[in-house]
């Protein structure tokens, strides 16, 4: 009797698991997990038991690390989601303000407190500085050139919105190809009566005189109309801290008429007298961002830095008419840099909002 023996290939548990992982890579981790739970090793020796414990420890450490990484990723995702939701809420609130502005026509949704725009005082860059202090000369030139670029862009923004006070013009993009347009946009310090800023200079000078007289006369109503909240606090402090019984007489002695304000200046013919008021820097920004245009005016807020150079005298008397200090009453030259503001959708005049010192 012959007994036929058939050899059965011995396939280890590791090779089976490896083959299964290669065939189904997306289920490799689940297969390994289920195999470690249900499979029984072929031998129960001490070596296999030790290796099983080591592999179990390694797998537990790996699972802990992966869980920590997953928690960190989840926290980052939650933080990003929170920040995105906060931004969306801000955008939604702005859209609600824009949509509800028609429902409340008497409420100014965009009348928030603004900071003074980056108006700048031009620096002295005389030709003598090129030889005495060339570093300061070139630094001043760069500063003035930067201010000129910002002035020109702001003038273009105002012209495009047709927001120049007292000037009726139909500005179009094709006008940028005309030399006379660039003479207007690039020369904010012009003293010509044909300048787009000429009416603003006249208003600035008149308001400056009215504010000086209001401080001397304790006229708080005029100060409130011609100054914004921050500057009104400063001038009201001057009025209220005066000694009781004093009488002030303030006067500008220099010429502030149209003849002095509007003079033609050329390369070989300087100004005959001081113009009194000169715009040295101007900035503009579109603050009214509602979908519907404002009921009146435009969307811009304009800040103009005006240099006032006048000869003044201030006389202080007691109730009996005796002068308090005769020396301080002598005429003296005063140079001030005041920032004037115009809110485009308000029907009011230019107001002084700040003072800048050189």
């Amino acid at each position: 009797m012959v007994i036929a023996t058939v050899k059965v290939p011995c396939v280890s548990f590791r090779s089976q698991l490896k083959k299964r992982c290669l065939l189904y890579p997306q289920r490799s981790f689940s297969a390994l997990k289920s195999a470690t739970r249900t499979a029984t090793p072929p031998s129960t020796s001490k070596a296999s038991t030790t290796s099983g414990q080591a592999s179990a420890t390694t797998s537990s450490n790996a699972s802990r690390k992966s869980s920590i990484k997953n928690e960190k990723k989840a926290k980052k995702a939650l933080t990003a989601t929170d920040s995105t939701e906060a931004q969306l809420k801000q955008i939604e609130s702005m859209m609600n303000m824009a949509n509800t502005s028609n429902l409340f026509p008497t409420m100014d949704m965009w009348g928030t407190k603004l900071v003074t725009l980056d108006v700048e005082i031009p620096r002295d860059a005389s030709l003598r500085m090129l030889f005495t202090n060339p570093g300061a000369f070139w630094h001043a030139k760069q500063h003035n050139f930067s201010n000129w670029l910002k002035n020109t862009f702001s003038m273009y923004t105002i012209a495009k919105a047709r927001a120049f006070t007292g000037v009726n013009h139909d500005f179009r993009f094709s006008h940028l190809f005309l030399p006379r347009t660039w003479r207007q946009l690039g020369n904010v310090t012009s003293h010509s009566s044909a300048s787009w800023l000429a009416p603003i200079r006249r208003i600035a000078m008149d308001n400056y005189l009215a504010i000086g007289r209001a401080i001397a006369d304790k006229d708080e109503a005029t100060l409130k109309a011609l100054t914004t909240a921050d500057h009104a606090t400063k001038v009201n402090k001057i009025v209220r801290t005066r000694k009781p019984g004093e009488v002030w007489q303030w006067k500008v002695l220099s010429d502030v008429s149209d003849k002095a304000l509007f003079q033609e200046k050329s390369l070989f013919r300087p100004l005959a007298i001081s113009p009194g008021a000169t715009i040295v820097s101007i900035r503009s920004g579109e603050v009214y961002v509602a979908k519907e245009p404002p009921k009146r005016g435009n969307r811009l807020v304009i800040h103009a830095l005006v240099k006032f150079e006048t000869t003044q005298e201030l006389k202080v008397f007691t109730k009996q008419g005796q002068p308090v200090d005769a020396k301080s009453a002598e005429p003296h030259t005063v140079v001030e840099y005041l920032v004037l503001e115009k809110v485009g959708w308000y029907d009011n005049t230019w107001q002084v909002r700040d003072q800048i010192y050189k």
Side-chain angles (χ1 to χ4, degrees):
M1 181 177 180
V2 181
I3 300 174
T5 59
V6 179
K7 294 183 178 181
V8 179
C10 182
V11 182
S12 64
F13 170 74
R14 183 179 299 176
S15 61
Q16 291 179 359
L17 183 60
K18 184 177 181 181
K19 183 177 180 181
R20 188 174 181 182
C21 292
L22 290 174
L23 290 176
Y24 306 100
Q26 70 275 14
R27 295 185 294 173
S28 59
F29 180 75
S30 60
L32 178 61
K33 192 174 181 181
S34 60
T36 53
R37 288 180 180 176
T38 58
T40 305
S43 62
T44 57
S45 60
K46 293 181 180 180
S48 61
T49 304
T50 306
S51 62
Q53 293 177 353
S55 61
T57 305
T58 306
S59 62
S60 63
N61 292 334
S63 62
R64 288 178 183 175
K65 291 181 180 179
S66 62
S67 62
I68 293 173
K69 289 182 180 179
N70 291 332
E71 288 179 359
K72 290 182 179 179
K73 289 181 180 179
K75 288 181 180 179
K76 289 182 179 179
L78 288 174
T79 305
T81 304
D82 293 339
S83 61
T84 305
E85 289 180 355
Q87 294 176 1
L88 290 175
K89 288 181 179 179
Q90 291 179 358
I91 295 173
E92 185 179 359
S93 63
M94 292 182 65
M95 293 301 295
N96 290 334
M97 289 173 62
N99 294 330
T100 56
S101 60
N102 294 329
L103 301 177
F104 303 97
T106 60
M107 183 181 297
D108 183 17
M109 299 289 184
W110 315 104
T112 57
K113 185 178 180 180
L114 300 175
V115 297
T116 303
L117 301 180
D118 59 334
V119 289
E120 300 171 323
I121 300 176
R123 298 183 182 179
D124 183 21
S126 60
L127 190 60
R128 184 182 299 177
M129 289 181 58
L130 180 60
F131 304 98
T132 57
N133 194 349
F137 174 80
W138 291 113
H139 187 70
K141 282 291 186 182
Q142 292 176 359
H143 177 272
N144 294 341
F145 181 71
S146 174
N147 185 36
W148 177 82
L149 286 178
K150 295 177 182 178
N151 290 341
T152 305
F153 180 76
S154 298
M155 290 285 287
Y156 167 71
T157 305
I158 299 170
K160 187 173 63 173
R162 303 176 185 178
F164 284 109
T165 303
V167 177
N168 295 322
H169 67 283
D170 185 14
F171 183 81
R172 300 178 183 178
F173 182 78
S174 59
H175 293 169
L176 293 177
F177 298 97
L178 301 177
R180 66 173 182 268
T181 302
W182 287 102
R183 285 195 295 269
Q184 291 281 1
L185 298 180
N187 190 10
V188 301
T189 60
S190 173
H191 301 106
S192 173
S193 59
S195 173
W196 289 344
L197 297 176
I200 300 177
R201 291 179 56 234
R202 179 71 267 175
I203 294 173
M205 192 73 246
D206 293 340
N207 291 354
Y208 179 77
L209 298 175
I211 290 173
R213 290 191 293 265
I215 293 175
D217 299 338
K218 295 184 178 181
D219 187 359
E220 296 187 8
T222 301
L223 295 177
K224 183 178 180 181
L226 298 180
T227 58
T228 61
D230 294 336
H231 196 70
T233 303
K234 298 178 182 178
V235 294
N236 286 327
K237 185 177 181 181
I238 297 174
V239 172
R240 294 169 184 173
T241 55
R242 285 167 51 177
K243 293 180 180 179
E246 287 186 347
V247 179
W248 288 11
Q249 290 183 359
W250 180 82
K251 186 187 299 183
V252 171
L253 303 178
S254 56
D255 190 3
V256 292
S257 63
D258 288 350
K259 182 180 178 180
L261 281 177
F262 308 120
Q263 305 176 56
E264 296 294 337
K265 180 182 178 181
S266 63
L267 182 61
F268 303 101
R269 186 180 62 186
L271 296 177
I273 55 178
S274 174
T278 304
I279 298 175
V280 296
S281 185
I282 191 167
R283 299 290 185 269
S284 62
E286 188 173 308
V287 178
Y288 193 97
V289 294
K291 186 177 181 180
E292 295 289 335
K295 299 297 182 182
R296 64 171 65 89
N298 53 79
R299 301 173 179 266
L300 299 182
V301 170
I302 306 172
H303 288 173
L305 180 62
V306 185
K307 176 185 177 182
F308 295 94
E309 186 174 2
T310 57
T311 302
Q312 307 176 7
E313 68 173 7
L314 176 63
K315 296 180 179 179
V316 182
F317 300 94
T318 61
K319 287 183 178 181
Q320 291 75 22
Q322 297 178 354
V324 175
D325 191 355
K327 292 183 179 180
S328 62
E330 296 178 357
H332 55 282
T333 302
V334 178
V335 179
E336 293 181 290
Y337 292 88
L338 300 180
V339 181
L340 276 77
E341 178 184 77
K342 183 68 175 73
V343 181
W345 59 94
Y346 286 171
D347 188 16
N348 58 358
T349 184
W350 286 77
Q351 296 177 305
V352 177
R353 67 162 290 119
D354 199 3
Q355 182 172 4
I356 297 180
Y357 300 92
K358 191 172 182 179

